[in-house]
Amino acid sequence: MEPGKLCVLRQGPNGPYYNLQWREQGKAISRYVPSDQVELVAQHTANYQTFQSLVGQYAQLIIERTRAERAAGFKKKTSAPKSSWLKSRKSSS
């Protein structure tokens, strides 16, 4: 897995030159990618994007489940029974 985006720097006599760009702690970083590693780095960045997508889907499912559980808890809640002390105070008034 590799975060970032594979970009063409420029065209050379033997084909394009690539670099990998990503952000780390708010800073833009880029590294040259040798031509013999371009396909591998492209697969690694695709794997990272797939992972991020799956994490997002999982988080959304957990959020929905948490909200549903919380909503069900509010619906089940009934008013608390009054203590016998309160009942006796009201009847003696």
Side-chain angles (χ1 to χ4, degrees):
M1 254 189 340
E2 186 74 59
K5 181 179 177 184
L6 195 59
C7 302
V8 175
L9 288 171
R10 65 182 178 275
Q11 290 293 330
N14 298 325
Y17 292 98
Y18 291 89
N19 75 348
L20 179 63
Q21 299 175 351
W22 71 98
R23 294 190 79 72
E24 215 170 88
Q25 298 178 352
K27 292 177 74 176
I29 301 174
S30 64
R31 298 285 184 261
Y32 172 74
V33 178
S35 60
D36 63 336
Q37 294 181 11
V38 169
E39 286 183 40
L40 185 60
V41 171
Q43 185 59 52
H44 290 169
T45 56
N47 290 346
Y48 183 80
Q49 290 175 354
T50 299
F51 172 76
Q52 290 296 328
S53 174
L54 292 171
V55 166
Q57 290 174 33
Y58 176 72
Q60 189 59 43
L61 289 172
I62 296 302
I63 289 166
E64 289 170 9
R65 188 171 96 189
T66 302
R67 288 176 179 167
E69 288 172 356
R70 192 170 57 235
F74 285 134
K75 289 177 187 173
K76 289 180 184 176
K77 228 178 196 180
T78 58
S79 60
K82 294 183 179 178
S83 71
S84 57
W85 180 80
L86 277 177
K87 287 180 185 175
S88 66
R89 298 266 302 155
K90 284 187 177 183
S91 61
S92 64
S93 314

